[in-house]
Amino acid sequence: MQVVQRWILAKLRNGLFHTLDDLNVAIRQLNLELNEKIMRHLGKTRSELFASVDMPNALKLPDEPFQIYKWSKARVGIDYCIQIEKHYYSVPYKYVDEEVCVRLYEKSVEVFLKTQRIANHIRSFESFAHTILKEHMPEKHRKHLELYRKLWLANRTSKWAFGLH
């Protein structure tokens, strides 16, 4: 890297460039020239070495772009939720009172117990709201929720039918 920097800077030091694009074009051209110069101690160009050594050993880039994330810890509450940045996310109820690790991405939240991922949610920025998956609830809570929704819908439908809304 130091060789590249010094060689290109030495060639450009007396140049006059009116735009950043002009400078970038000159740098690209000098970089191509440097890669085609034969290195005395190896008898090959940088391009030849790249093609014979680096390219065959290069790994395929991942399909997904790299995402920045941060880790935090949380304790699963009695309501089988953890609080992360003022929002509550559910985990399977059997993990109540466990300490978990949370990987927080820009658009998602992953919850781990030791090395096992136990929950995955789309990230929400709504303060003090809950994101709860039905499959994380105990069976009794699911039944209660279904009953509550049916009653709420029946009540709302009745009010609408009689013009009481």
Side-chain angles (χ1 to χ4, degrees), residues 61-73:
L61 289 174
D63 294 332
E64 296 293 319
F66 176 78
Q67 294 183 51
I68 295 175
Y69 57 85
K70 71 179 186 180
W71 285 100
S72 64
K73 290 188 176 188

Side-chain angles (χ1 to χ4, degrees), residues 53-119:
V53 177
D54 294 333
M55 191 71 132
N57 295 306
L59 300 175
K60 180 183 176 288
L61 289 174
D63 294 332
E64 296 293 319
F66 176 78
Q67 294 183 51
I68 295 175
Y69 57 85
K70 71 179 186 180
W71 285 100
S72 64
K73 290 188 176 188
R75 185 160 299 279
V76 181
I78 192 74
D79 61 351
Y80 46 88
C81 287
I82 57 169
Q83 182 183 358
I84 300 294
E85 295 188 348
K86 298 182 182 178
H87 190 86
Y88 297 93
Y89 298 94
S90 67
V91 299
Y93 71 92
K94 66 182 179 180
Y95 299 113
V96 166
D97 206 36
E98 292 280 355
E99 186 175 68
V100 294
C101 292
V102 181
R103 185 163 46 190
L104 194 60
Y105 290 97
E106 180 184 353
K107 296 181 181 179
S108 67
V109 176
E110 292 179 313
V111 184
F112 294 86
L113 182 63
K114 297 182 175 111
T115 58
Q116 180 186 7
R117 186 171 77 176
I118 59 173

Side-chain angles (χ1 to χ4, degrees), residues 23-81:
L23 176 60
N24 284 332
V25 167
I27 291 171
R28 270 189 221 98
Q29 184 57 42
L30 289 171
N31 193 38
L32 289 172
E33 286 178 30
L34 180 62
N35 286 336
E36 297 308 319
K37 282 179 66 169
I38 294 177
M39 295 185 287
R40 278 182 260 161
H41 62 288
L42 295 174
K44 292 185 176 186
T45 68
R46 286 176 173 77
S47 294
E48 290 170 341
L49 285 173
F50 177 77
S52 64
V53 177
D54 294 333
M55 191 71 132
N57 295 306
L59 300 175
K60 180 183 176 288
L61 289 174
D63 294 332
E64 296 293 319
F66 176 78
Q67 294 183 51
I68 295 175
Y69 57 85
K70 71 179 186 180
W71 285 100
S72 64
K73 290 188 176 188
R75 185 160 299 279
V76 181
I78 192 74
D79 61 351
Y80 46 88
C81 287

Side-chain angles (χ1 to χ4, degrees), residues 4-18:
V4 174
Q5 180 183 0
R6 285 182 179 168
W7 192 79
I8 290 177
L9 285 176
K11 294 274 190 174
L12 294 176
R13 74 174 169 253
N14 295 323
L16 179 62
F17 304 96
H18 296 285

